[in-house]
Amino acid sequence: MAKDTTGRLHVTVKSGGKRKLSSKLWLERQLNDPYVTQAKRDGFRSRAAYKLQEIDDKHRFLKRGQVVVDLGAAPGGWSQIAAKRVGSAEGKDNGRGKVVAIDLLEMPELPGVTFAQMDFLDEHAPDKLRAMIGGGADVVMSDMAANTTGHRKTDQLRIIGLVENAAAFACEILNPGGTFLAKVFQSGAEADLLAQLKRDFATVKHVKPAASRQDSSERYVLALGFRGTNTASA
Ligand SMILES: C[S@@+](CC[C@H](N)C(=O)[O-])C[C@H]1O[C@@H](n2cnc3c(N)ncnc32)[C@H](O)[C@@H]1O
């Protein structure tokens, strides 16, 4: 085991045998990632929890008693942070909020989180979600990431398709003043989406939390202060 430039121990995984180079690199990255170690220590399901924690520490949109929708929630790091901050993870009922989460994958139960396994792009998903939410929402957040095909144009279209659908759903369901947070990638393909969000929200910005790997093009769009009126609670 050697030390890296910051003085931390660096684990190297042997290649060869049945292990492919990509698995070796993935394993090495996991083993040497301080957020992965910290997540285990703090009892979070994923290192992604720190991304939401950091974005909310700075912009303070998750508040006690709110209704939050988590799209692409598995394994559950963001839901854990949201449930803690809105109060739904607590046992008592006074003023506690609600977290509604979905994912393509199964997600083991989390206190204060109502989960359903479904494809957000399925035509029936918005209706099912509306029924789970049972009114308007205060925050719609999406960390959804489509599996990549390796074909750049196709991958960009898939990513932007997910974000656009999430934004359209947010505009249907958000209460006035609500927040939309979604993963985008630095592709330049989302100009139309940003223009639309700027019409519907008071503030729109890109954020890249420290927990988001610096070598990845991942970033988030954060839209605060929904100006519209939802149709869900009307
Ligand atoms: C980066 S992970 C989310 C991590 C999560 N925020 C956390 O904190 O643990 C992205 C998730 O998006 C989900 N996903 C991708 N496309 C989806 C879709 N069409 N519908 C629902 N979930 C989707 C994937 O299954 C995956 O679990």
Side-chain angles (χ1 to χ4, degrees):
M1 231 185 306
K3 284 191 177 175
D4 67 13
T5 48
T6 63
R8 276 194 302 259
L9 288 173
H10 183 90
V11 181
T12 313
V13 175
K14 278 191 187 149
S15 55
K18 283 193 183 143
R19 189 175 280 135
K20 281 201 217 142
L21 180 64
S22 56
S23 333
K24 167 189 147 68
L25 294 176
W26 182 87
L27 195 55
E28 266 183 18
R29 196 166 71 165
Q30 288 295 102
L31 292 171
N32 292 301
D33 184 334
Y35 287 105
V36 172
T37 316
Q38 188 67 27
K40 278 194 197 118
R41 214 174 284 151
D42 291 345
F44 289 139
R45 294 249 178 104
S46 63
R47 71 187 294 294
Y50 297 105
K51 300 180 197 174
L52 180 63
Q53 182 169 277
E54 193 186 325
I55 297 170
D56 187 52
D57 280 349
K58 188 157 179 204
H59 300 281
R60 305 242 165 241
F61 50 88
L62 290 172
K63 300 194 178 83
R64 200 174 167 79
Q66 283 182 331
V67 176
V68 176
V69 182
D70 185 4
L71 305 172
W78 279 29
S79 283
Q80 285 177 294
I81 297 288
K84 204 162 132 196
R85 296 198 172 189
V86 303
S88 63
E90 293 166 21
K92 37 189 193 316
D93 219 358
N94 47 341
R96 69 183 203 184
K98 185 171 184 176
V99 177
V100 168
I102 64 156
D103 202 288
L104 281 173
L105 306 175
E106 188 47 86
M107 182 169 96
E109 241 176 72
L110 272 175
V113 178
T114 308
F115 175 78
Q117 185 175 10
M118 68 174 97
D119 180 352
F120 178 63
L121 297 179
D122 183 283
E123 58 173 317
H124 303 296
D127 280 344
K128 287 186 190 160
L129 262 170
R130 272 189 281 271
M132 287 165 76
I133 300 162
D138 302 295
V139 179
V140 173
M141 51 191 200
S142 161
D143 198 17
M144 285 186 291
N147 287 335
T148 49
T149 62
H151 184 261
R152 208 164 146 259
K153 193 92 193 135
T154 308
D155 290 341
Q156 278 184 0
L157 287 172
R158 280 187 176 193
I159 290 159
I160 202 71
L162 278 175
V163 191
E164 280 177 353
N165 277 283
F169 180 72
C171 290
E172 264 178 55
I173 205 92
L174 278 178
N175 294 324
T179 302
F180 174 63
L181 172 69
K183 192 206 294 274
V184 291
F185 289 88
Q186 215 155 0
S187 68
E190 76 259 17
D192 290 348
L193 171 71
L194 287 180
Q196 173 74 46
L197 291 175
K198 281 180 183 161
R199 282 193 292 272
D200 290 332
F201 291 82
T203 313
V204 178
K205 52 182 84 178
H206 278 114
V207 288
K208 170 107 179 152
S212 174
R213 291 191 168 100
Q214 296 310 300
D215 59 354
S216 103
S217 61
E218 174 188 85
R219 57 186 179 159
Y220 292 85
V221 64
L222 175 65
L224 299 158
F226 182 56
R227 295 188 224 264
T229 35
N230 66 42
T231 43
S233 52

